[in-house]
Amino acid sequence: MRIRKVIAALSVAALASLGTVVAAPAAQATQTGGYGCSGSHVWSGDVGGAGTVHTYYDGSTNCSVFVKDLYAGTKTYTDIYVQKSGDSGWIDGGGGYYSTFAGPVTIYAPGACIREWVIANDPNGNNLVNQPTPWHSCS
């Protein structure tokens, strides 16, 4: 009987400490950015009704993600690119079949404005969005 009480007490203690370990990173992640980005949230904008671009800035680097609204939870082809003012090229965030968001994609852009280009398809491969955001986050 005594052994069962000891095992039960240890199990409760282990579960309690596990809950603390699991909860701490989620709270910390909210304070330091989101979706794999660090820094402060500085901009967000709707893209064609298909979802929202969120941009974070850590003092020198912008980091952007596209969070799906349409077909969220379903893997569809989604991609996000980023460009800074004065550059002609785009940095690709690595398109693929994502269920919630595409990115992150980062760019070193102090003293510049940035914009993103978003591509999002429906489950049948039809294009929902293929457009840029306006220039923003000018520092």
Side-chain angles (χ1 to χ4, degrees):
M1 246 348 191
R2 181 156 164 72
I3 292 174
R4 286 186 189 168
K5 286 182 182 179
V6 171
I7 291 172
L10 290 174
S11 297
V12 170
L15 288 174
S17 68
L18 179 61
T20 302
V21 172
V22 171
Q28 185 180 13
T30 316
Q31 297 169 353
T32 60
Y35 304 101
C37 294
S38 62
S40 300
H41 187 262
V42 294
W43 186 84
S44 62
D46 177 75
V47 182
T52 304
V53 169
H54 294 279
T55 301
Y56 299 83
Y57 185 67
D58 68 5
S60 62
T61 302
N62 291 87
C63 180
S64 299
V65 295
F66 173 70
V67 180
K68 295 169 49 173
D69 287 335
L70 295 179
Y71 304 105
T74 302
K75 288 186 176 185
T76 60
Y77 183 81
T78 314
D79 201 357
I80 183 170
Y81 299 80
V82 68
Q83 179 185 49
K84 71 178 179 179
S85 54
D87 283 358
S88 59
W90 294 82
I91 297 173
D92 187 352
Y97 288 83
Y98 303 113
S99 59
T100 54
F101 70 94
V105 58
T106 60
I107 191 165
Y108 180 79
C113 301
I114 68 161
R115 67 179 176 171
E116 296 82 8
W117 192 288
V118 174
I119 299 171
N121 292 350
D122 70 14
N124 296 319
N126 300 310
N127 191 254
L128 297 169
V129 171
N130 188 349
Q131 69 183 55
T133 65
W135 291 103
H136 62 84
S137 303
C138 304
S139 51

